[in-house]
Amino acid sequence: MVEPENLVLRYLQKLSADMDQLKEDIHNIKARMTTVEENLATLNRRVDQVERRLERIERRLDLVEV
């Protein structure tokens, strides 16, 4: 039979290992989220550029009122 002290110690060790894994997972998620945010910002800038170009083209072709 396992002594209560050893059983508690084993549970605490397992809990500690699980916490270490969670910390690593959260760190990885944060890094990936940062990359997603950077890519989204880049995409938004490109969409803004396309909108400006389209507006300029429409004005030159007199497709919109100034």
Side-chain angles (χ1 to χ4, degrees), residues 6 11-13 18 23 29-30 40 45 49 58:
N6 292 337
Y11 280 126
L12 289 175
Q13 289 170 337
D18 290 346
K23 286 178 185 177
I29 289 170
K30 284 181 177 181
L40 181 58
R45 280 192 299 275
Q49 290 171 350
E58 288 174 335

Side-chain angles (χ1 to χ4, degrees), residues 55-66:
E55 288 170 1
R56 193 171 74 224
I57 290 168
E58 288 174 335
R59 279 195 312 272
R60 286 184 176 183
L61 296 175
D62 290 327
L63 297 177
V64 294
E65 294 181 20
V66 180

Side-chain angles (χ1 to χ4, degrees), residues 2-47:
V2 177
E3 293 184 30
E5 281 182 21
N6 292 337
L7 185 60
V8 171
L9 180 59
R10 284 197 294 186
Y11 280 126
L12 289 175
Q13 289 170 337
K14 173 73 170 115
L15 184 59
S16 178
D18 290 346
M19 290 296 293
D20 289 341
Q21 183 62 49
L22 282 172
K23 286 178 185 177
E24 184 179 334
D25 290 348
I26 288 172
H27 175 75
N28 291 337
I29 289 170
K30 284 181 177 181
R32 292 177 68 186
M33 190 64 177
T34 298
T35 302
V36 168
E37 290 170 341
E38 290 169 351
N39 289 336
L40 181 58
T42 299
L43 182 59
N44 284 335
R45 280 192 299 275
R46 293 186 72 187
V47 167

